[in-house]
């Protein structure tokens, strides 16, 4: 019986190692990978919220908004260290744009309780590098 339990434990450990190794990347490394093949443009204060098709959280670092083929990276001025990819972002805007003066509540996906907020910074657009023929 001990041999069976030991085998099961070793098998479970073997499957857990690759998952934890992927999580070892720093927030900057995760952001760099997402932006591979893209070049930064001039930062802007606002983006059209209606045009944003998705958002992605880089834990402890940034929120990335997709607007068409452009990725807008926002590194919050305050509260970035509380960002977690399991957060739900709740944004209250005063118009059709999301701006650097807006704040975003962070709601835990599982408990549904607010656990923090961020104050947005400038939005840096990243577009794909055009390939030379």
């Amino acid at each position: 019986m001990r041999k069976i339990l030991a085998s099961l434990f070793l098998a479970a450990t073997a499957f857990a190692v690759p998952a934890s190794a992927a999580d070892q990347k720093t927030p900057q490394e995760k952001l760099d990978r997402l932006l591979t093949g893209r070049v930064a443009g001039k930062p802007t204060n606002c983006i059209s919220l209606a045009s944003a098709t998705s958002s992605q959280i880089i834990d402890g670092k940034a929120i990335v908004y997709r607007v068409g083929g452009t990725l807008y990276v926002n590194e919050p001025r305050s509260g970035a260290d509380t960002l977690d990819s399991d957060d739900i972002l709740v944004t209250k805007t005063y118009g059709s744009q999301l701006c650097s003066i807006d704040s975003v509540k962070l709601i835990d996906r599982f408990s549904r309780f607010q656990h923090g907020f961020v104050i947005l910074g400038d939005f840096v657009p990243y577009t794909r590098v055009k390939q030379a023929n």
Side-chain angles (χ1 to χ4, degrees):
M1 183 68 160
R2 288 184 189 167
K3 290 182 179 180
I4 293 172
L5 289 175
S7 297
L8 289 174
F9 177 75
L10 288 173
T13 304
F15 286 113
V17 170
S20 63
D23 293 338
Q24 296 295 328
K25 292 183 180 173
T26 67
Q28 186 62 52
E29 289 171 334
K30 291 177 184 178
L31 183 59
D32 290 345
R33 181 174 178 172
L34 182 65
L35 299 175
T36 298
R38 295 178 179 269
V39 63
K42 181 181 176 187
T44 183
N45 289 324
C46 300
I47 60 171
S48 171
L49 197 52
S51 299
T53 56
S54 67
S55 61
Q56 179 178 348
I57 296 171
I58 305 298
D59 293 349
K61 177 78 174 162
I63 305 171
V64 180
Y65 296 92
R66 181 176 297 276
V67 177
T70 303
L71 298 180
Y72 284 88
V73 176
N74 189 291
E75 294 189 40
R77 290 183 282 143
S78 177
D81 57 327
T82 61
L83 285 170
D84 186 295
S85 57
D86 284 329
D87 288 338
I88 298 170
L89 304 175
V90 178
T91 308
K92 182 177 181 180
T93 59
Y94 299 96
S96 63
Q97 294 190 321
L98 184 60
C99 296
S100 60
I101 61 170
D102 292 327
S103 64
V104 178
K105 292 180 185 178
L106 306 175
I107 307 295
D108 181 78
R109 183 174 309 278
F110 303 106
S111 70
R112 305 288 189 206
F113 288 110
Q114 180 178 343
H115 71 89
F117 68 95
V118 296
I119 298 173
L120 298 175
D122 286 336
F123 296 86
V124 179
Y126 285 83
T127 54
R128 291 211 181 273
V129 176
K130 294 181 181 179
Q131 300 291 338
N133 289 338

